[in-house]
Amino acid sequence: MTLRLSLLLLATTLLSAAPTPQQLVVPGRSLGQVQLGLAPATAHLPTTPPNSTDGAMGKAWASWYGARPAHGAPTELDVYTAPPPGDDGSHRSVQVVRSTSPYFQLANGLHAGSNLRSIRAAYGALPLATTYSVPGGVRYLYDAGPKGIAFETNGKALDSKCTAVIVHLPKLAAKKFYVSMGQYLHGRTKPR
């Protein structure tokens, strides 16, 4: 094989590995087409009704479930909306988006399914923000707060898997919504 052909194959492989706009996770801004900081009607949420919701006092969680893979649980997209800071409570904006699907990827290739070792290689030793129980076990949440990205894992060891990627507004007081997220994820019923 010639050097020119080898370079062409390498370039094609690298370009095809880059996530499309529909797949791209941008910390602090978006997960695929879903955009943070916008009203739910304009944030590009799924057009189908959510499979699960929970809300009170202007704050709400909504979940959409994807197709069930051959082994494991269906993928999900979870969205948290609340009044933006300084609002009188009459408006809501998308503040957090969580996905368990490996379809969504950061530009550096991280996605649900990556291991904690890869996450630390990209972001350093992120602080453990919280732990919570979900059906299936305990989850550990590592948050790069100022960047607006967090990673939920199924353990603390370097070979632990990322079970969800979470995009949030960079200046969001994360502890407030992590408590409600853990309660919401634990208390809802998922399809079997």
Side-chain angles (χ1 to χ4, degrees):
M1 188 177 336
T2 67
L3 178 60
R4 176 178 254 171
L5 182 57
S6 296
L7 290 174
L8 181 60
L9 288 173
L10 176 63
T12 303
T13 302
L14 291 175
L15 287 175
S16 66
T20 67
Q22 290 79 19
Q23 295 172 287
L24 185 63
V25 176
V26 181
R29 291 190 44 214
S30 61
L31 186 137
Q33 297 296 310
V34 180
Q35 302 210 358
L36 299 177
L38 298 179
T42 60
H44 304 288
L45 298 177
T47 56
T48 58
N51 298 96
S52 179
T53 59
D54 184 31
M57 298 177 15
K59 301 172 185 169
W61 280 99
S63 297
W64 291 263
Y65 302 122
R68 177 181 284 285
H71 301 286
T75 58
E76 63 188 74
L77 176 72
D78 305 300
V79 177
Y80 176 74
T81 58
D87 185 78
D88 62 3
S90 61
H91 301 91
R92 290 185 306 141
S93 68
V94 174
Q95 297 189 10
V96 179
V97 182
R98 174 185 177 270
S99 176
T100 64
S101 174
Y103 174 80
F104 297 106
Q105 300 177 36
L106 283 95
N108 60 14
L110 293 175
H111 56 84
S114 296
N115 61 35
L116 186 54
R117 179 180 288 107
S118 299
I119 294 167
R120 287 194 173 159
Y123 287 95
L126 296 174
L128 178 63
T130 192
T131 60
Y132 43 86
S133 294
V134 297
V138 175
R139 297 296 182 252
Y140 302 85
L141 196 126
Y142 296 92
D143 190 8
K147 294 183 177 172
I149 188 83
F151 301 91
E152 175 187 290
T153 66
N154 62 359
K156 294 198 255 182
L158 291 177
D159 63 346
S160 298
K161 295 289 182 201
C162 175
T163 54
V165 172
I166 300 164
V167 181
H168 61 80
L169 295 172
K171 296 184 180 183
L172 186 67
K175 288 278 188 191
K176 287 181 187 176
F177 80 82
Y178 289 152
V179 169
S180 71
M181 182 175 72
Q183 292 169 345
Y184 171 68
L185 295 173
H186 184 72
R188 71 198 163 129
T189 55
K190 291 176 65 169
R192 299 231 173 245

